Amino acid sequence: MKNIRNFCIIAHIDHGKSTLADRLLEFTKTVGVKEMQNQVLDDMDLERERGITIKSHAIQMDYEMGGEKFTLNLIDTPGHVDFSYEVSRSIAACEGALLVVDATQGVQAQTISNLYMAIDNGLEIIPVINKIDMESAHPDEVEDEIVDLLGCDPEDIIRVSARTGEGVPKVLEAIVQRVPAPNGNPEAPLQALIFDSVFNPFRGIIVYFKIENGSIHKGDLVKFVNTGKQYNADEIGVLKLQMAPRDVLTTGTVGYIISGIKTSAEVRVGDTITHVATPCEKAIEGFQEVKPMVFAGVYPIDPEDFENLRSSLEKLQLNDASLTFTPESSVALGFGFRCGFLGLLHMEIVQERLSREFNMEVITTVPNVSYKVYDKKGEMTEVHNPAGLPDPTLIEHIEEPYIRASIITQSEFMGSIITLCLGKRGELIKQDYISGNRMELTFDIPLGEIVIDFYDKLKSISKGYASFDYYIHDFRDSKLIKMDILLNGQPVDALSSLTHVDNAVSLGRRMCEKLKELIPRQQYDIAIQAAIGAKIIARETVKQVRKDVTAKCYGGDVSRKRKLLEKQKAGKKRMKQIGTVQVPQKAFLAVLKLD
């Protein structure tokens, strides 16, 4: 056990975590020349296409130093704020962390956020400056930033180039020397923490765990403490590039167990595995419950696919524990699910994974956040969906969630970023200079204002230099009203939204204009209206497609033409009464990109 090292790599998005992981695997000869490719641990096509890590990946490496053999368990983590739950789970399974900082960009918001998470869990931090081979690198300035942030000595910081491999052997030595070995008791009853799971169509659910105390043998009868279910350990092993079976796993090891579990409800991330014969006294303190930030309705395009969508979401939830869903129904879209996501990128990725991995084409409604609605009796209900809002006459007041946002940027973009945040009803809390011309701005902003296009606008006005991180701060009383979109007088509940009184008219007008472009023309006029209660605040009309029925009348009395036109008019009126307007998926997505 004293020769085991469990560590993860944490950093801001695009600072070179996956590339550094590639070099570590290369230097320890874990991956052969034939199997080597860029982002070798990112096994999803989606991750390669976008160049981001979505899932944390565990892999075991063997390393020899000073005549001793060491087992290094590496967990590569995502860097985007939407996948921070993955990072928290990786940190729970480790004793040390490599903090990677880009030499061209310096310390960013997500670097600080992930660092605090690691320090709270008592991890040993090894700071690494990456990309020192780049022409635009300024490692000395970045070193000063890290010293200010961590309070460490400059000699503790390792300079590497993950692309060329320079400095990587020093990283491996530092992991062995600085990261403590696991401190469990091999003689105690089995206690293993589940940190991830994945669905395999042939073998059932594969569970990934880290053994805190005790050991597990192949064929042992084990139970999951929270669910109380018992299983035989049909196969156990460690995670190399592929799964490598073993007969026994001891304290401190990161491994997997296959026991033919078929239903996803039986596996919970954060649960504890123990022996049935000699159970542990108490479960390991798991992770904090995930709190979704953004809610959206997910509906199958074909209503008959409802059950298929349910099983697809359950299988996806095994691999992505931060996804939550509950059934709901909509007048416009039929039966579906109200899903909770950690952010807009997470929502986009889930939609893409449903399509690729499970062949499920879905319609996603406009995302919104959860509100606390207080009625006249003083009772509070949580509302995730504008359609679930009580009658306005019963509502005393509505509270919306506010986030505490940290934005790190260069001082030249400060003015435009402050303007953007104030335009989103934000409050400037403080501004600090970090180093040189880089500063940190702290804002309180309503979460509902940032879930749609805030991140894209922030990136464009700062030319990609601003980094953004946030956490839920509190709930505050706000003047919010429900705005409905009506098509020919019929409300489309999937397009209704809760908005602030001051923004309602301009938002209603922009939505009507956008829908006018996207809804296809019919044989009759379509009225698109935005309404607050019974009051119409904006209107657009999609003009009908008309056939020239008078083309065959040449000359003659005008009453012949009028008779034909009246007949056409009556037909159009009848068609309007029985016709329904199909809202295309583009319309739901376009509302997200209103300028």
Short mmCIF file of all heavy atoms in Angstrom, two decimals, residues 145-195:
data_model
loop_
_atom_site.label_atom_id
_atom_site.label_comp_id
_atom_site.label_asym_id
_atom_site.label_seq_id
_atom_site.Cartn_x
_atom_site.Cartn_y
_atom_site.Cartn_z
N GLU A 145 2.08 34.41 -9.92
CA GLU A 145 0.65 34.27 -9.64
C GLU A 145 0.38 33.02 -8.79
O GLU A 145 -0.41 33.06 -7.85
CB GLU A 145 -0.15 34.14 -10.96
CG GLU A 145 -0.27 35.44 -11.73
CD GLU A 145 -1.01 35.24 -13.05
OE1 GLU A 145 -1.82 34.30 -13.14
OE2 GLU A 145 -0.78 36.02 -13.98
N ILE A 146 1.05 31.90 -9.15
CA ILE A 146 0.83 30.64 -8.42
C ILE A 146 1.35 30.77 -6.98
O ILE A 146 0.71 30.30 -6.03
CB ILE A 146 1.50 29.45 -9.15
CG1 ILE A 146 0.83 29.22 -10.51
CG2 ILE A 146 1.42 28.18 -8.31
CD1 ILE A 146 1.49 28.18 -11.37
N VAL A 147 2.51 31.44 -6.82
CA VAL A 147 3.07 31.64 -5.47
C VAL A 147 2.09 32.45 -4.63
O VAL A 147 1.84 32.15 -3.46
CB VAL A 147 4.47 32.31 -5.55
CG1 VAL A 147 4.93 32.76 -4.17
CG2 VAL A 147 5.48 31.35 -6.16
N ASP A 148 1.50 33.51 -5.22
CA ASP A 148 0.51 34.33 -4.50
C ASP A 148 -0.72 33.49 -4.12
O ASP A 148 -1.27 33.64 -3.03
CB ASP A 148 0.03 35.50 -5.37
CG ASP A 148 1.11 36.58 -5.49
OD1 ASP A 148 2.07 36.51 -4.71
OD2 ASP A 148 0.98 37.46 -6.36
N LEU A 149 -1.13 32.63 -5.05
CA LEU A 149 -2.35 31.84 -4.86
C LEU A 149 -2.16 30.75 -3.81
O LEU A 149 -2.99 30.55 -2.93
CB LEU A 149 -2.76 31.22 -6.20
CG LEU A 149 -4.03 30.39 -6.25
CD1 LEU A 149 -5.25 31.27 -6.01
CD2 LEU A 149 -4.17 29.71 -7.61
N LEU A 150 -1.02 30.02 -3.90
CA LEU A 150 -0.81 28.84 -3.06
C LEU A 150 0.03 29.13 -1.82
O LEU A 150 0.00 28.37 -0.85
CB LEU A 150 -0.11 27.74 -3.86
CG LEU A 150 -0.96 26.87 -4.79
CD1 LEU A 150 -0.07 25.95 -5.58
CD2 LEU A 150 -1.94 26.04 -3.99
N GLY A 151 0.85 30.18 -1.91
CA GLY A 151 1.79 30.45 -0.82
C GLY A 151 2.91 29.43 -0.76
O GLY A 151 3.48 29.15 0.29
N CYS A 152 3.26 28.84 -1.94
CA CYS A 152 4.33 27.82 -1.98
C CYS A 152 5.65 28.47 -2.38
O CYS A 152 5.70 29.66 -2.71
CB CYS A 152 3.96 26.73 -2.99
SG CYS A 152 3.79 27.34 -4.67
N ASP A 153 6.74 27.70 -2.35
CA ASP A 153 8.03 28.21 -2.81
C ASP A 153 8.11 28.09 -4.32
O ASP A 153 7.59 27.12 -4.89
CB ASP A 153 9.18 27.39 -2.20
CG ASP A 153 9.24 27.57 -0.68
OD1 ASP A 153 8.90 28.67 -0.22
OD2 ASP A 153 9.60 26.59 0.01
N PRO A 154 8.80 29.04 -5.00
CA PRO A 154 8.94 28.93 -6.47
C PRO A 154 9.59 27.61 -6.89
O PRO A 154 9.31 27.10 -7.98
CB PRO A 154 9.83 30.13 -6.82
CG PRO A 154 9.63 31.10 -5.70
CD PRO A 154 9.38 30.29 -4.48
N GLU A 155 10.47 27.03 -6.02
CA GLU A 155 11.14 25.77 -6.40
C GLU A 155 10.16 24.60 -6.47
O GLU A 155 10.44 23.58 -7.11
CB GLU A 155 12.24 25.38 -5.39
CG GLU A 155 13.34 26.41 -5.19
CD GLU A 155 12.95 27.52 -4.23
OE1 GLU A 155 12.73 27.23 -3.04
OE2 GLU A 155 12.86 28.67 -4.71
N ASP A 156 9.00 24.73 -5.79
CA ASP A 156 8.01 23.63 -5.80
C ASP A 156 7.27 23.53 -7.13
O ASP A 156 6.61 22.54 -7.40
CB ASP A 156 6.97 23.84 -4.68
CG ASP A 156 7.58 23.72 -3.30
OD1 ASP A 156 8.69 23.17 -3.22
OD2 ASP A 156 6.96 24.17 -2.32
N ILE A 157 7.36 24.60 -7.93
CA ILE A 157 6.57 24.65 -9.17
C ILE A 157 7.38 23.99 -10.29
O ILE A 157 8.55 24.32 -10.51
CB ILE A 157 6.21 26.10 -9.54
CG1 ILE A 157 5.40 26.74 -8.40
CG2 ILE A 157 5.43 26.16 -10.84
CD1 ILE A 157 5.20 28.24 -8.52
N ILE A 158 6.74 23.05 -11.00
CA ILE A 158 7.43 22.32 -12.08
C ILE A 158 7.03 22.93 -13.42
O ILE A 158 5.83 23.14 -13.68
CB ILE A 158 7.05 20.83 -12.04
CG1 ILE A 158 7.33 20.23 -10.67
CG2 ILE A 158 7.78 20.05 -13.11
CD1 ILE A 158 6.73 18.87 -10.44
N ARG A 159 8.02 23.22 -14.25
CA ARG A 159 7.74 23.77 -15.58
C ARG A 159 7.82 22.64 -16.61
O ARG A 159 8.82 21.94 -16.67
CB ARG A 159 8.74 24.86 -15.93
CG ARG A 159 8.66 26.06 -15.00
CD ARG A 159 9.52 27.20 -15.50
NE ARG A 159 9.47 28.34 -14.59
CZ ARG A 159 9.93 29.55 -14.88
NH1 ARG A 159 10.48 29.77 -16.06
NH2 ARG A 159 9.85 30.53 -14.00
N VAL A 160 6.74 22.49 -17.39
CA VAL A 160 6.72 21.41 -18.38
C VAL A 160 6.16 21.91 -19.71
O VAL A 160 5.53 22.95 -19.79
CB VAL A 160 5.84 20.21 -17.92
CG1 VAL A 160 6.28 19.67 -16.58
CG2 VAL A 160 4.37 20.56 -17.89
N SER A 161 6.43 21.11 -20.73
CA SER A 161 5.73 21.26 -22.00
C SER A 161 5.11 19.90 -22.30
O SER A 161 5.81 18.96 -22.64
CB SER A 161 6.69 21.67 -23.12
OG SER A 161 6.05 21.45 -24.35
N ALA A 162 3.80 19.81 -22.14
CA ALA A 162 3.13 18.52 -22.35
C ALA A 162 3.20 18.10 -23.81
O ALA A 162 3.13 16.92 -24.13
CB ALA A 162 1.67 18.61 -21.89
N ARG A 163 3.39 19.08 -24.70
CA ARG A 163 3.44 18.75 -26.13
C ARG A 163 4.74 18.05 -26.49
O ARG A 163 4.77 17.05 -27.18
CB ARG A 163 3.26 20.03 -26.96
CG ARG A 163 2.88 19.80 -28.41
CD ARG A 163 2.30 21.07 -28.98
NE ARG A 163 3.22 22.19 -28.83
CZ ARG A 163 4.01 22.65 -29.80
NH1 ARG A 163 3.98 22.09 -30.99
NH2 ARG A 163 4.81 23.67 -29.60
N THR A 164 5.86 18.60 -25.97
CA THR A 164 7.17 18.04 -26.34
C THR A 164 7.64 17.00 -25.32
O THR A 164 8.55 16.22 -25.60
CB THR A 164 8.23 19.16 -26.41
OG1 THR A 164 8.34 19.76 -25.10
CG2 THR A 164 7.83 20.23 -27.41
N GLY A 165 7.07 16.99 -24.12
CA GLY A 165 7.49 16.03 -23.09
C GLY A 165 8.54 16.59 -22.14
O GLY A 165 8.97 15.91 -21.20
N GLU A 166 8.95 17.85 -22.34
CA GLU A 166 9.98 18.46 -21.48
C GLU A 166 9.45 18.61 -20.05
O GLU A 166 8.34 19.11 -19.83
CB GLU A 166 10.33 19.85 -22.06
CG GLU A 166 11.40 20.58 -21.29
CD GLU A 166 11.55 22.03 -21.78
OE1 GLU A 166 11.11 22.35 -22.90
OE2 GLU A 166 12.10 22.83 -21.01
N GLY A 167 10.21 18.15 -19.08
CA GLY A 167 9.84 18.32 -17.67
C GLY A 167 8.90 17.25 -17.13
O GLY A 167 8.62 17.23 -15.93
N VAL A 168 8.40 16.35 -17.99
CA VAL A 168 7.42 15.35 -17.53
C VAL A 168 8.05 14.36 -16.52
O VAL A 168 7.39 14.01 -15.53
CB VAL A 168 6.77 14.61 -18.73
CG1 VAL A 168 5.89 13.46 -18.26
CG2 VAL A 168 5.94 15.59 -19.55
N PRO A 169 9.32 13.89 -16.70
CA PRO A 169 9.90 12.99 -15.69
C PRO A 169 9.92 13.61 -14.30
O PRO A 169 9.70 12.91 -13.30
CB PRO A 169 11.33 12.76 -16.21
CG PRO A 169 11.24 12.96 -17.68
CD PRO A 169 10.22 14.04 -17.87
N LYS A 170 10.11 14.95 -14.22
CA LYS A 170 10.11 15.62 -12.90
C LYS A 170 8.73 15.52 -12.25
O LYS A 170 8.62 15.43 -11.03
CB LYS A 170 10.46 17.11 -13.07
CG LYS A 170 11.94 17.36 -13.35
CD LYS A 170 12.16 18.86 -13.42
CE LYS A 170 13.57 19.17 -13.95
NZ LYS A 170 13.68 20.61 -14.28
N VAL A 171 7.67 15.58 -13.10
CA VAL A 171 6.31 15.48 -12.57
C VAL A 171 6.10 14.11 -11.93
O VAL A 171 5.55 13.99 -10.83
CB VAL A 171 5.26 15.71 -13.70
CG1 VAL A 171 3.84 15.48 -13.18
CG2 VAL A 171 5.38 17.12 -14.26
N LEU A 172 6.57 13.05 -12.62
CA LEU A 172 6.41 11.69 -12.07
C LEU A 172 7.16 11.53 -10.75
O LEU A 172 6.65 10.94 -9.80
CB LEU A 172 6.91 10.66 -13.10
CG LEU A 172 5.98 10.44 -14.30
CD1 LEU A 172 6.71 9.74 -15.43
CD2 LEU A 172 4.76 9.63 -13.90
N GLU A 173 8.39 12.11 -10.69
CA GLU A 173 9.16 12.04 -9.44
C GLU A 173 8.43 12.78 -8.31
O GLU A 173 8.35 12.28 -7.18
CB GLU A 173 10.55 12.66 -9.64
CG GLU A 173 11.48 11.77 -10.46
CD GLU A 173 12.76 12.51 -10.85
OE1 GLU A 173 13.12 13.51 -10.17
OE2 GLU A 173 13.39 12.12 -11.85
N ALA A 174 7.86 13.95 -8.65
CA ALA A 174 7.16 14.75 -7.63
C ALA A 174 5.94 14.01 -7.10
O ALA A 174 5.62 14.07 -5.91
CB ALA A 174 6.75 16.10 -8.21
N ILE A 175 5.25 13.28 -8.00
CA ILE A 175 4.05 12.53 -7.57
C ILE A 175 4.46 11.48 -6.52
O ILE A 175 3.82 11.35 -5.48
CB ILE A 175 3.37 11.85 -8.79
CG1 ILE A 175 2.72 12.91 -9.69
CG2 ILE A 175 2.30 10.85 -8.33
CD1 ILE A 175 2.36 12.42 -11.07
N VAL A 176 5.55 10.76 -6.80
CA VAL A 176 6.00 9.72 -5.88
C VAL A 176 6.47 10.33 -4.55
O VAL A 176 6.18 9.83 -3.46
CB VAL A 176 7.12 8.87 -6.52
CG1 VAL A 176 7.75 7.93 -5.50
CG2 VAL A 176 6.55 8.07 -7.69
N GLN A 177 7.22 11.46 -4.65
CA GLN A 177 7.82 12.04 -3.44
C GLN A 177 6.82 12.83 -2.60
O GLN A 177 6.85 12.79 -1.37
CB GLN A 177 8.99 12.96 -3.83
CG GLN A 177 10.20 12.17 -4.33
CD GLN A 177 11.17 13.06 -5.11
OE1 GLN A 177 10.93 14.26 -5.29
NE2 GLN A 177 12.26 12.47 -5.57
N ARG A 178 5.89 13.56 -3.26
CA ARG A 178 5.05 14.50 -2.52
C ARG A 178 3.65 13.98 -2.18
O ARG A 178 3.09 14.35 -1.16
CB ARG A 178 4.90 15.81 -3.32
CG ARG A 178 6.22 16.55 -3.51
CD ARG A 178 5.91 17.98 -3.94
NE ARG A 178 6.84 18.46 -4.94
CZ ARG A 178 6.65 19.54 -5.67
NH1 ARG A 178 5.55 20.25 -5.51
NH2 ARG A 178 7.55 19.95 -6.55
N VAL A 179 3.06 13.17 -3.07
CA VAL A 179 1.69 12.70 -2.82
C VAL A 179 1.73 11.60 -1.76
O VAL A 179 2.48 10.64 -1.91
CB VAL A 179 1.03 12.18 -4.12
CG1 VAL A 179 -0.35 11.59 -3.81
CG2 VAL A 179 0.90 13.30 -5.14
N PRO A 180 0.96 11.72 -0.68
CA PRO A 180 1.00 10.68 0.37
C PRO A 180 0.34 9.38 -0.12
O PRO A 180 -0.53 9.41 -0.98
CB PRO A 180 0.18 11.30 1.51
CG PRO A 180 -0.67 12.34 0.87
CD PRO A 180 0.05 12.83 -0.35
N ALA A 181 0.79 8.27 0.44
CA ALA A 181 0.16 6.98 0.14
C ALA A 181 -1.22 6.94 0.82
O ALA A 181 -1.45 7.67 1.78
CB ALA A 181 1.04 5.85 0.65
N PRO A 182 -2.13 6.08 0.34
CA PRO A 182 -3.44 5.96 1.00
C PRO A 182 -3.25 5.52 2.46
O PRO A 182 -2.33 4.77 2.76
CB PRO A 182 -4.15 4.87 0.19
CG PRO A 182 -3.41 4.78 -1.10
CD PRO A 182 -2.01 5.21 -0.83
N ASN A 183 -4.13 6.00 3.35
CA ASN A 183 -3.92 5.71 4.77
C ASN A 183 -5.02 4.84 5.38
O ASN A 183 -5.40 5.01 6.52
CB ASN A 183 -3.78 7.02 5.57
CG ASN A 183 -5.01 7.90 5.37
OD1 ASN A 183 -5.94 7.53 4.67
ND2 ASN A 183 -4.99 9.07 5.99
N GLY A 184 -5.57 3.90 4.58
CA GLY A 184 -6.62 3.01 5.09
C GLY A 184 -6.03 1.87 5.90
O GLY A 184 -4.81 1.73 6.04
N ASN A 185 -6.91 1.02 6.42
CA ASN A 185 -6.50 -0.14 7.22
C ASN A 185 -6.80 -1.42 6.43
O ASN A 185 -7.97 -1.76 6.25
CB ASN A 185 -7.26 -0.13 8.55
CG ASN A 185 -6.91 -1.33 9.41
OD1 ASN A 185 -6.07 -2.16 9.03
ND2 ASN A 185 -7.56 -1.44 10.55
N PRO A 186 -5.77 -2.14 5.97
CA PRO A 186 -6.01 -3.34 5.15
C PRO A 186 -6.73 -4.45 5.91
O PRO A 186 -7.36 -5.32 5.31
CB PRO A 186 -4.60 -3.79 4.74
CG PRO A 186 -3.70 -2.65 5.05
CD PRO A 186 -4.34 -1.87 6.14
N GLU A 187 -6.65 -4.43 7.26
CA GLU A 187 -7.26 -5.50 8.07
C GLU A 187 -8.72 -5.21 8.42
O GLU A 187 -9.43 -6.08 8.91
CB GLU A 187 -6.46 -5.70 9.38
CG GLU A 187 -4.97 -5.95 9.19
CD GLU A 187 -4.70 -7.16 8.31
OE1 GLU A 187 -5.42 -8.17 8.47
OE2 GLU A 187 -3.79 -7.10 7.46
N ALA A 188 -9.16 -3.99 8.22
CA ALA A 188 -10.53 -3.59 8.60
C ALA A 188 -11.55 -4.20 7.62
O ALA A 188 -11.17 -4.68 6.55
CB ALA A 188 -10.64 -2.08 8.60
N PRO A 189 -12.86 -4.19 7.98
CA PRO A 189 -13.87 -4.65 7.01
C PRO A 189 -13.84 -3.80 5.74
O PRO A 189 -13.44 -2.63 5.78
CB PRO A 189 -15.20 -4.44 7.76
CG PRO A 189 -14.83 -4.39 9.20
CD PRO A 189 -13.45 -3.81 9.26
N LEU A 190 -14.27 -4.39 4.62
CA LEU A 190 -14.23 -3.71 3.31
C LEU A 190 -15.09 -2.45 3.32
O LEU A 190 -16.22 -2.45 3.80
CB LEU A 190 -14.73 -4.65 2.22
CG LEU A 190 -14.93 -4.03 0.83
CD1 LEU A 190 -13.59 -3.61 0.22
CD2 LEU A 190 -15.63 -4.98 -0.12
N GLN A 191 -14.49 -1.37 2.81
CA GLN A 191 -15.20 -0.09 2.68
C GLN A 191 -14.68 0.55 1.39
O GLN A 191 -13.53 0.97 1.34
CB GLN A 191 -14.85 0.78 3.90
CG GLN A 191 -15.96 1.73 4.31
CD GLN A 191 -15.55 2.57 5.51
OE1 GLN A 191 -14.37 2.70 5.80
NE2 GLN A 191 -16.51 3.15 6.20
N ALA A 192 -15.52 0.57 0.35
CA ALA A 192 -15.08 1.11 -0.95
C ALA A 192 -16.07 2.16 -1.42
O ALA A 192 -17.28 1.96 -1.34
CB ALA A 192 -14.95 -0.01 -1.97
N LEU A 193 -15.56 3.27 -1.93
CA LEU A 193 -16.39 4.40 -2.37
C LEU A 193 -16.63 4.31 -3.88
O LEU A 193 -15.68 4.24 -4.66
CB LEU A 193 -15.67 5.72 -2.04
CG LEU A 193 -16.35 6.99 -2.52
CD1 LEU A 193 -17.58 7.29 -1.69
CD2 LEU A 193 -15.39 8.18 -2.47
N ILE A 194 -17.91 4.31 -4.29
CA ILE A 194 -18.23 4.31 -5.72
C ILE A 194 -18.10 5.75 -6.24
O ILE A 194 -18.77 6.65 -5.73
CB ILE A 194 -19.68 3.82 -5.96
CG1 ILE A 194 -19.83 2.38 -5.48
CG2 ILE A 194 -20.06 3.95 -7.43
CD1 ILE A 194 -21.26 1.85 -5.57
N PHE A 195 -17.23 5.97 -7.24
CA PHE A 195 -17.10 7.33 -7.77
C PHE A 195 -17.58 7.46 -9.21
O PHE A 195 -17.66 8.56 -9.75
CB PHE A 195 -15.67 7.87 -7.61
CG PHE A 195 -14.63 7.17 -8.44
CD1 PHE A 195 -14.37 7.56 -9.73
CD2 PHE A 195 -13.89 6.11 -7.92
CE1 PHE A 195 -13.42 6.92 -10.51
CE2 PHE A 195 -12.93 5.47 -8.66
CZ PHE A 195 -12.70 5.87 -9.98
#
